[in-house]
Amino acid sequence: MKMKKSLVALCLSAGLLAAAPTMSLAAINIVPQDVSAAPSIPASTLQQLHWTPVSPSQTLTSDISAAGQTLNAGDITGPVMAYSVPANIGELNITLTSKVNNESVYAPNVLVLDQNFTPAAFFPSSFFAYQEPGVMSDNRLEGTMKLTPALGQQKLYLLVFTTQKDLQKTTQMVDPAKAYAKGNGNAVPDIPDPIARHGVAGSLALKASTSSSSSILVGPLFGSSGPASVTVGNTAAPAYNTQPAPAAAPAAAPAPVAKSEPMLNDTESYFNQAIKQAAAKGDIDKALKLLNEAERLGSKSARATFISSVKGKG
């Protein structure tokens, strides 16, 4: 196999939320390795930015107006945020949240760069879906990127920006009273939903964590028509590594999920645990969405887990 460039292997996860009429989900058919829509930025320009390090299991909250930097390239508008994450600790799950404040929200785009500042993947603003408010969370745009660095990578870089095109759009939200009523099983009040305008200011929260067990939640399991994983560039070891790189095993295409077949034990356990954790935090809305998704995938125990959890017996 002919390889090119130094890389990042990316696995895309659209999140654990089932489709609901009041939720605007991200476009899960985005092909992240297609960077043609991303602005072209010289590596020399990128190197001049201050890249804020994010440690694993750390949630870094930033005020864009105060911490943002200026970058003139393409259609980029307003301040940008620049983060670096370690790439030598295995698979990374990176969740980016943009909070709605005073009916305004920063619509983020994320350009992922390898350690040589070579673009490896692009997640446009449509990837970051609106999420309804819950007991422990506010109105927000949110998306989770799953990144698996290739051998030899030391750092990955995430450039977060918004564009003039994004500023011309708005986000339809759900009134908190409606979300609360639905999460508690009460009658949903007939009140209008607010609309958040897109702006160049806002608050971002970036969380980077490592995970080796969540690979079961990749690709077609969530209805994506795209490939389960994306490989960009050269996966061979760097020149300074004296050991020969192992031959890459061909990746087997995941079999489509058959509704008539029972869910795998690991997947069943994952959803049950996630339902328990959501219920324990009081986020019944999230627990309901997890239940719906689990049953769609063939779970036989998720409903019992949900019922016992919300009754405080989980």
Side-chain angles (χ1 to χ4, degrees):
M1 174 183 279
K2 185 177 180 181
M3 304 282 182
K4 299 180 180 178
K5 303 178 184 176
S6 160
L7 112 51
V8 185
L10 300 176
C11 296
L12 173 61
S13 174
L16 297 177
L17 302 178
T22 57
M23 176 172 295
S24 173
L25 291 178
I28 58 176
N29 62 342
I30 288 172
V31 182
Q33 85 275 23
D34 181 8
V35 298
S36 60
S40 178
I41 309 171
S44 58
T45 301
L46 293 168
Q47 291 169 354
Q48 294 175 5
L49 293 174
H50 171 70
W51 297 87
T52 302
V54 181
S55 302
S57 301
Q58 173 190 10
T59 299
L60 183 63
T61 301
S62 304
D63 182 337
I64 300 171
S65 297
Q69 303 176 69
T70 300
L71 178 63
N72 296 317
D75 195 30
I76 293 178
T77 301
V80 304
M81 297 297 299
Y83 303 97
S84 67
V85 294
N88 55 359
I89 54 175
E91 182 180 89
L92 292 168
N93 290 335
I94 299 179
T95 299
L96 180 66
T97 303
S98 181
K99 298 180 181 179
V100 178
N101 184 30
N102 294 327
E103 297 189 1
S104 177
V105 66
Y106 185 93
N109 301 256
V110 176
L111 180 61
V112 181
L113 306 139
D114 68 12
Q115 65 179 9
N116 297 318
F117 291 102
T118 301
F122 177 54
F123 295 87
S125 58
S126 58
F127 175 77
F128 299 93
Y130 167 70
Q131 306 296 335
E132 297 179 11
V135 176
M136 303 295 290
S137 57
D138 299 322
N139 283 300
R140 64 207 185 275
L141 301 178
E142 190 171 272
T144 297
M145 298 163 284
K146 185 171 294 181
L147 314 178
T148 304
L151 184 64
Q153 296 288 304
Q154 298 300 313
K155 285 185 178 181
L156 302 183
Y157 298 96
L158 307 175
L159 181 66
V160 184
F161 59 90
T162 196
T163 68
Q164 187 62 42
K165 184 178 180 180
D166 293 318
L167 296 182
Q168 297 172 4
K169 300 179 181 179
T170 59
T171 293
Q172 178 74 58
M173 299 187 293
V174 173
D175 189 276
K178 286 186 176 181
Y180 180 83
K182 185 174 67 174
N184 287 275
N186 299 328
V188 178
D190 185 15
I191 53 179
D193 289 319
I195 295 177
R197 65 187 184 278
H198 293 181
V200 296
S203 176
L204 292 179
L206 187 78
K207 181 178 181 180
S209 61
T210 59
S211 175
S212 59
S213 61
S214 60
S215 58
I216 59 172
L217 302 176
V218 176
L221 186 59
F222 290 100
S224 171
S225 60
S229 63
V230 178
T231 301
V232 181
N234 186 6
T235 58
Y240 57 77
N241 189 337
T242 58
Q243 298 298 323
V257 177
K259 293 184 179 179
S260 60
E261 296 179 0
M263 178 182 283
L264 296 176
N265 291 337
D266 286 347
T267 309
E268 186 106 22
S269 298
Y270 179 91
F271 275 99
N272 287 341
Q273 184 63 27
I275 291 171
K276 291 178 182 178
Q277 291 175 350
K281 293 179 180 179
D283 195 345
I284 306 303
D285 192 32
K286 180 178 180 180
L288 280 169
K289 293 182 178 71
L290 289 165
L291 167 62
N292 291 336
E293 182 65 9
E295 290 191 332
R296 186 181 72 82
L297 299 173
S299 173
K300 303 299 182 183
S301 63
R303 183 165 294 273
T305 299
F306 173 83
I307 293 173
S308 63
S309 296
V310 298
K311 289 182 178 179
K313 299 179 182 180

